Amino acid sequence: MRNRVPYGEERWKTALLSDHNCPMPTTEPPEGRRPSSGTRAEGGAGAGAGAGTGAGAGAGAGDADGPHRALLARWNTLLISARGGPGGPDPAPYGEDLLRRWSEPHRRYHAAGHLRAVLDRVDELAAHVSTAQPGASAPPDGTSDGADEAHAAGEPAADLDAVRLAAWFHDAVYRPDRSENEERSARLAERALPEAGVPQARTAEVARLVRLTVTHDPAPGDLNGELLCDADLAVLAGSPESYAHYAAEIRQEYAFVPDAAFQEGRATVLHQLLGLPQLFRTSYARSHWEPTARHNLTTELRLLNA
């Protein structure tokens, strides 16, 4: 989720680097907070997967911890489904490379925990929509809550594999002092997924969805976009404790921004969110998450202005 804080028209951001044949460097923290191990050019998607580890926001991609293994298993299952079967390259190196990115030391909120939360919220929302293909990545509990009836009535169907792949890639490239994270994440998906065996049409949809997280403003009828954006914004509807933790982690990621500038910029973001006619697009999220999210945003804004 984009949580950029306006600050002197984003003066702290470095200029967009030119992409020669799309070799985007891996994400780095701002100057002065880079890991001592240096950086690695992305090169071929998945190349050197798992080669880098780091302390900080989460366990390194090479650590054999339970959450890491669970996420990797979810990735492997998803990629096999998205390409239509077990044929193709081993999914694991691609998953390891993505998890290494999500575990970079400069991340606090935009770390593996956020990835896991977005995937979980997609699963929650998926129980209430129709899917594009029978049996493809169905919700874990097998429920549909009228989804089959909606599909039969001609309502748009979701490609849950594309949505979940977009969740994996939407913050794969992340630096809080850069403005082009979503674009670079989308280009990473456009390189990695065809190599991993995902059809071109689905790859294009994943990249489109990743770019949509710049605005979180899907067009009417864009069910894939609604699912991803609602899942990404679901953190706003957390308990008071979890929302406070989220807000604190955002501040840590923007530690290089002076307090007064951060407070001004964050207040602007909160006002913009509260001014929207609706934060969420799916009917489930509007009914279950919207009131709590607005309460949390209002509370944070009041604390900022105190």
Side-chain angles (χ1 to χ4, degrees):
M1 181 175 72
R2 169 168 289 201
N3 290 280
R4 186 167 306 124
V5 179
Y7 169 47
E9 297 188 8
E10 301 181 343
R11 284 186 303 232
W12 76 86
K13 290 183 172 62
T14 55
L16 173 64
L17 297 177
S18 61
D19 296 314
H20 301 290
N21 300 318
C22 296
M24 299 182 294
T26 188
T27 61
E28 301 170 346
E31 289 289 347
R33 294 199 291 139
R34 291 197 174 97
S36 59
S37 57
T39 61
R40 169 178 73 81
E42 288 180 2
T53 63
D63 295 342
D65 60 289
H68 175 88
R69 290 196 303 270
L71 277 172
L72 186 59
R74 292 174 81 166
W75 165 262
N76 292 345
T77 300
L78 171 60
L79 184 58
I80 291 171
S81 174
R83 65 192 185 194
D90 181 4
Y94 297 91
E96 291 284 7
D97 185 63
L98 285 165
L99 288 172
R100 179 191 60 77
R101 295 171 183 279
W102 282 94
S103 300
E104 291 161 331
H106 62 281
R107 296 177 184 245
R108 295 299 181 267
Y109 171 69
H110 294 88
H114 173 55
L115 168 62
R116 183 167 52 252
V118 173
L119 291 170
D120 288 346
R121 297 293 76 79
V122 170
D123 288 347
E124 184 176 351
L125 292 168
H128 306 278
V129 300
S130 57
T131 57
Q133 61 275 11
S137 297
D141 61 2
T143 60
S144 65
D145 192 29
D148 292 338
E149 291 81 356
H151 196 196
E155 294 185 10
D159 182 350
L160 294 178
D161 284 343
V163 175
R164 290 182 174 115
L165 285 171
W168 274 90
F169 279 93
H170 82 286
D171 283 325
V173 177
Y174 179 73
R175 270 190 65 170
D177 64 333
R178 294 282 179 91
S179 61
E180 72 279 7
N181 293 317
E182 295 87 356
E183 178 61 27
R184 289 177 177 271
S185 295
R187 292 182 184 179
L188 177 64
E190 288 170 335
R191 291 199 310 280
L193 292 177
E195 181 182 299
V198 176
Q200 185 57 47
R202 180 165 280 155
T203 295
E205 176 64 0
V206 171
R208 182 190 74 83
L209 291 171
V210 171
R211 292 184 172 102
L212 185 60
T213 61
V214 174
T215 62
H216 291 92
D217 188 19
D222 180 5
L223 184 53
N224 289 344
E226 291 176 352
L227 290 172
L228 179 64
C229 291
D230 281 6
D232 196 23
L233 293 175
V235 65
L236 302 179
S239 68
E241 294 78 12
S242 64
Y243 185 89
H245 186 67
Y246 144 75
E249 288 182 327
I250 292 298
R251 182 65 185 106
Q252 290 168 13
E253 288 186 339
Y254 283 92
F256 57 94
V257 180
D259 286 341
F262 179 87
Q263 291 171 4
E264 179 183 356
R266 181 68 178 173
T268 298
V269 171
L270 297 175
H271 276 297
Q272 291 172 345
L273 289 171
L274 288 168
L276 295 174
Q278 56 191 26
L279 294 167
F280 300 103
R281 301 303 180 91
T282 63
S283 59
Y284 177 88
R286 287 198 304 271
S287 62
H288 288 76
W289 302 344
E290 184 98 11
T292 302
R294 288 191 175 275
H295 173 78
N296 286 333
L297 292 169
T298 301
T299 299
E300 184 186 358
L301 184 59
R302 184 174 66 250
L303 293 173
L304 283 173
N305 293 331

